[in-house]
Amino acid sequence: MIEEENKRLGNLVEGILQSALISKGDLVLHKEPVNLYEIIQNQVEIACFNKPVRPKIVIELQGTPVDLIADKLHLTNLIANLLDNAMKYSPNNPVINILISYQNNNIHLFVKDQGIGIPSQIISSIFETFTQADNSTTRKFGGTGLGLPICRQLCKMMGGDISVKSTEGIGSEFSFNLNLKK
C-alpha cells in the first residue's frame, strides 16, 4: 500500500511540475525524427507488463508509415497517458483499438476503448486542469486530473490538437493529429 501511494504521489508531483513548466512556457521540445508505431508498440508492452489479464490491444495502420519530427519523450508520455487511461477506465478485460492514419502530411492517432465512458455533462471540461468525472471515479480508478490537460498542451506545442468522443457506459475514443512538416 505504501509503495502504491508513493508512486501516486510521485506521479502527482511530476504532473504538477510538468504542467507548471508548460504554463510558464519553459518547456523546451527536443525535436527529432521519431517512429510513432514503434513508440506505440513499446508503450503497449509496458502497459501490459505484469497484468493479471492481458488486455486485447489491436494496432492498425492506414497509409504509408513515415517518421515525424517530434519530441520523443513528450510524445511517448502522451501515448502512455492515453493508453493508461484506456486501460484504467476499461476495468473488465480491456479491449483497446489504436489506429494510426498517415494522410496528407498529417498523422492521426485514435485510441478507442470499451470502458466506462465519460458523462456528457463533463466531457467539455476533461482537458481542464484537475478535472475528473467525479470523486467516486477518482477513488475507484485513481488519477490526478493532470494527464489530459498535459496531453492537450503537449499536442498544441507540437502543432496538433486532441479531442474526445465518448458515450457513458460504452467507451471513449481519444484522437490527436500532428502535422508531419512542423
Side-chain angles (χ1 to χ4, degrees):
M1 190 182 300
I2 291 171
E3 186 177 320
E4 285 302 312
E5 282 301 300
N6 189 32
K7 187 189 313 180
R8 186 185 68 77
L9 287 173
N11 289 339
L12 177 61
V13 170
E14 179 62 32
I16 290 170
L17 291 174
Q18 193 171 30
S19 183
L21 282 174
I22 293 171
S23 294
K24 284 179 59 182
D26 289 345
L27 186 68
V28 178
L29 297 179
H30 301 285
K31 294 186 176 184
E32 61 183 302
V34 295
N35 183 310
L36 183 60
Y37 183 73
E38 286 178 7
I39 290 173
I40 291 170
Q41 283 183 311
N42 289 336
Q43 289 309 301
V44 165
E45 286 305 311
I46 291 168
C48 293
F49 180 74
N50 213 18
K51 297 285 189 255
V53 176
R54 184 173 174 94
K56 180 179 180 188
I57 301 176
V58 177
I59 304 171
E60 181 184 347
L61 289 171
Q62 285 182 349
T64 304
V66 294
D67 285 353
L68 69 146
I69 305 301
D71 184 299
K72 186 174 184 176
L73 173 66
H74 291 99
L75 184 58
T76 300
N77 289 341
L78 174 68
I79 302 297
N81 190 318
L82 294 178
L83 189 55
D84 181 58
N85 282 352
M87 291 178 60
K88 185 188 319 182
Y89 297 109
S90 301
N92 301 320
N93 301 319
V95 176
I96 299 164
N97 293 294
I98 300 172
L99 170 64
I100 309 167
S101 176
Y102 298 89
Q103 51 183 273
N104 301 333
N105 294 318
N106 287 294
I107 292 180
H108 298 274
L109 178 82
F110 302 87
V111 179
K112 184 176 183 177
D113 65 54
Q114 298 173 6
I116 64 172
I118 302 166
S120 59
Q121 64 270 23
I122 65 127
I123 202 160
S124 63
S125 64
I126 62 168
F127 292 106
E128 295 173 14
T129 305
F130 298 117
T131 298
Q132 290 190 305
D134 62 37
N135 286 336
S136 64
T137 302
T138 302
R139 282 192 300 275
K140 184 173 181 182
F141 297 105
T144 61
L146 290 170
L148 291 175
I150 290 171
C151 286
R152 171 159 276 168
Q153 292 168 325
L154 289 173
C155 277
K156 286 183 178 183
M157 287 180 71
M158 289 188 269
D161 199 11
I162 188 169
S163 62
V164 62
K165 295 179 199 170
S166 187
T167 304
E168 194 171 6
I170 296 184
S172 301
E173 178 181 83
F174 285 84
S175 63
F176 73 83
N177 66 297
L178 298 174
N179 189 296
L180 290 169
K181 296 200 174 197
K182 289 189 177 182

